[in-house]
Amino acid sequence: MSAREEPADPTSVVRGKVKEMRRRKGLTAAELGARLADLGVPWNRGIVTNFELGRRPAVSVQELLALAHVFEVSPASLLVPLDSEPYRLTPEGTEPVNSADAWLWITGRRPLPGSPKTAERLFFTEAPTEAGRGQRDAATGLYEWYEKIDSGGADGERL
């Protein structure tokens, strides 16, 4: 567990990861802003700096996706700490979860601990797998790639 008193939250994790990855890639705030602007996200040096310093309170989903694209990482890797620590999914109404459990949930691998058993089937019918392609069967509500997993995968290869 980290020395942090409060559990990590998605925005603070994204903020820290943006700062870390920008530096790791050797980008200035202006360069990151320009790359995001090239993708249609109207950021500039000031917005990058304000976000990293906490003066800009959050990012939109489109901004998160563009940041992940620029940094060449998955959006989930910007949202969840890599170490196992308490992580608050919502501002209120939920108890913190372990960041490893949050990672598994965000990446569609497992429902959150404590989720009702009745929700498990729906979770897995909606969560993509590595195959992740296909059309939804109107009768069952399932995606065709579930059928392909046992027959060699969506691309004809064993998964």
Side-chain angles (χ1 to χ4, degrees):
M1 184 149 125
S2 79
R4 171 182 302 167
E5 288 184 31
E6 290 292 316
D9 65 88
T11 302
S12 66
V13 172
V14 172
R15 188 180 322 286
K17 296 270 185 120
V18 165
K19 190 173 190 176
E20 171 194 336
M21 291 183 170
R22 180 178 65 76
R23 289 183 175 159
R24 192 181 318 154
K25 287 222 173 241
L27 297 172
T28 66
E31 290 168 333
L32 175 57
R35 288 194 184 182
L36 291 166
D38 288 345
L39 296 174
V41 175
W43 278 33
N44 57 36
R45 180 194 56 78
I47 294 173
V48 171
T49 301
N50 285 334
F51 180 66
E52 287 181 359
L53 295 175
R55 293 188 297 244
R56 186 177 201 263
V59 295
S60 70
V61 172
Q62 287 183 322
E63 291 167 336
L64 177 75
L65 296 174
L67 285 162
H69 181 69
V70 167
F71 293 135
E72 300 172 325
V73 298
S74 75
S77 69
L78 293 176
L79 285 169
V80 183
L82 294 179
D83 51 356
S84 184
E85 64 180 68
Y87 183 74
R88 183 170 296 286
L89 296 170
T90 62
E92 295 184 25
T94 60
E95 290 296 316
V97 298
N98 182 288
S99 58
D101 290 327
W103 175 264
L104 293 170
W105 175 66
I106 287 172
T107 58
R109 292 191 174 105
R110 185 170 74 198
L112 283 171
S115 294
K117 280 290 189 193
T118 56
E120 195 169 297
R121 182 177 178 345
L122 179 60
F123 177 87
F124 286 113
T125 61
E126 295 299 322
T129 66
E130 281 74 15
R133 299 177 200 67
Q135 300 297 315
R136 185 181 282 238
D137 182 302
T140 65
L142 298 176
Y143 287 93
E144 70 179 14
W145 44 258
Y146 276 106
E147 298 167 8
K148 292 181 178 184
I149 289 173
D150 289 331
S151 65
D155 293 328
E157 297 179 16
R158 276 308 277 166
L159 298 176

